[in-house]
Amino acid sequence: MTVKQYVDHTKSLISEICRDSNRQEEKITIVGVTKYVDGPVAEQLVVEGITHLGENRLEKLRDKQEIITDESIKWHFIGSLQTRKVKDVIPHIDYLHSLDRLSLAVEIQKRATKTLPCFLQVKTSYEESKQGVHVDEVLDLVKELKDFDKISIIGLMTMAPLTENKEEIRDCFKKLRHLSQEVQGLNQSNAPCTELSMGMSGDFQIAIEEGATYLRLGSILFGQ
Ligand SMILES: *Cc1c(COP(=O)(O)O)cnc(C)c1O
């Protein structure tokens, strides 16, 4: 199958899931995760109308940006970000999905020339390897960022564990949605927190059902 066919297939699945779960499709943005492919293949996503692209490493992001020069593309950084790399990364991105600690926020505040839309990455599962702020610490971190005018907490992001257990995955996504409502309840001007970045190729159906607004999709778009 071609990238076009994979994209069409994915879009029709998303439409169907939205219909079945009473979600408005316009509220859902596909972030095409291009980390598995080279620039020319990634560019085919753009041809198919995917205008949000995600990468987890700076070098790979820059490779793609050399080839994909369309000004309307929004670039998402979805990988863990080392504090010392902040100054190199932020000039090249429109969204950060992996804000997970105060020290990282301090560095962004120091280096950014304009406000960066960020998702707080939350650890909603007990998997050791998963990064993110602990569920119990999210509200405190948001409050600590109150005066950071270079950071806008537009939403929360999580990764569900790799498991066959759908209820376990659903619990993670539910937890994230409830937490986002708590953040909204703070009425903090730089933390509207209306967006939920959750759902990957293996679990996006559950994510849509639980309110995802940004799906981070990689392998399903490339047939991997
Ligand atoms: C790789 C990656 C994805 C996409 O994963 P697929 O399962 O290939 O869709 C999404 N989010 C993050 C943080 C990733 O690193």
Side-chain angles (χ1 to χ4, degrees), residues 33 35-36 56 78 157 159 200-202 216-220:
V33 175
K35 66 187 182 193
Y36 312 103
N56 60 351
I78 62 170
M157 177 275 213
M159 289 173 81
M200 304 176 23
S201 296
R216 306 180 313 273
L217 302 178
S219 37
I220 195 171

Side-chain angles (χ1 to χ4, degrees), residues 88-99:
D88 301 324
V89 169
I90 56 177
H92 304 293
I93 63 172
D94 300 293
Y95 296 86
L96 175 66
H97 288 244
S98 50
L99 180 54

Side-chain angles (χ1 to χ4, degrees), residues 66-78:
E66 273 183 19
I67 291 181
I68 303 169
T69 53
D70 188 333
E71 294 279 330
S72 65
I73 301 298
K74 300 293 183 201
W75 296 94
H76 296 246
F77 197 84
I78 62 170

